[in-house]
Amino acid sequence: MWQVYIKFIRTCCLVALLLPALAIAAAAPPQKNFFVEGQDYVKLPDSVRANTTAHQVLMTDPHKVQVLFFFSYGCHGCEMFHKPFEEWLAKQKTGPKGKVVVYTYPVSFNAQWSMLARLYYVRQILDPLGKTDNAIFLALQKQGMKLWDVNTMKSFFILHGYTAEQFDQAYNSFNVNRQVQRADAISKAFNIVLTPEVIVNG
């Protein structure tokens, strides 16, 4: 009889001890396991979505996770963001094939950055794998090379193993001119005013 009574008292004590902990747990906010609009991201305004150029870009791959990356080689924040973003891109390639699609657009806020946008597309022609990307950031951000100057730009690519003829052909190509203009139009359509800027599925 006493054993039953002692067992009952012990159970009551355990419940009394657990109730405050359960109350605290119930009152605590739920653990964050999702992104909150306005805190972690900003939704594109309807005015941007209604823009013809922006709408065409957003509809390019509607069934994939679409990532738009706006940057400039002349942006210090872009230099810092470059390595982790490239590491993230590499991880996406090991996942389900074709699930994520990334479009990169160099912005042209001024004449110098417009030349750096041209540099980006010249690099894409000469070095499609982007092996010189780190060297470009280093030359601009750390070594003070004025890569927005066409002669300095040419010297840079010659230094990295390309001929003057290869550079001239890429630099003066119709494709580079068209892509610089298109990237500028797209950045304006999305109201890009700061870099780096990432847009995910609108």
Side-chain angles (χ1 to χ4, degrees), residues 1-152:
M1 181 72 178
W2 282 104
Q3 290 177 341
V4 174
Y5 184 67
I6 291 170
K7 190 174 182 181
F8 174 75
I9 292 174
R10 188 168 42 187
T11 303
C12 289
C13 288
L14 284 172
V15 171
L17 288 171
L18 286 173
L19 279 175
L22 290 171
I24 291 170
Q31 285 191 341
K32 183 179 176 183
N33 56 3
F34 56 92
F35 294 110
V36 178
E37 183 179 348
Q39 178 178 313
D40 301 303
Y41 70 93
V42 177
K43 188 175 180 180
L44 285 180
D46 292 338
S47 59
V48 170
R49 293 173 177 278
N51 182 288
T52 304
T53 301
H55 182 73
Q56 287 174 347
V57 172
L58 293 174
M59 290 296 103
T60 304
D61 290 287
H63 304 297
K64 297 181 181 180
V65 178
Q66 184 193 64
V67 178
L68 310 180
F69 176 45
F70 296 89
F71 91 109
S72 172
Y73 285 125
C75 162
H76 179 62
C78 296
E79 180 208 2
M80 297 175 66
F81 188 70
H82 172 68
K83 185 176 180 181
F85 187 70
E86 288 298 313
E87 289 173 352
W88 176 82
L89 275 180
K91 288 180 182 178
Q92 304 317 303
K93 293 175 182 177
T94 62
K97 192 173 181 181
K99 183 180 179 183
V100 176
V101 60
V102 178
Y103 296 103
T104 301
Y105 300 107
V107 298
S108 302
F109 289 153
N110 53 49
Q112 287 183 355
W113 280 27
S114 180
M115 286 296 289
L116 295 177
R118 179 174 288 273
L119 165 64
Y120 171 75
Y121 289 114
V122 168
R123 194 278 295 157
Q124 276 201 329
I125 292 173
L126 298 178
D127 173 26
L129 296 179
K131 294 179 180 179
T132 55
D133 261 349
N134 289 329
I136 292 171
F137 276 115
L138 180 65
L140 272 163
Q141 302 290 337
K142 299 290 192 293
Q143 298 170 351
M145 287 184 70
K146 299 177 180 179
L147 292 182
W148 54 83
D149 173 73
V150 63
N151 293 321
T152 306

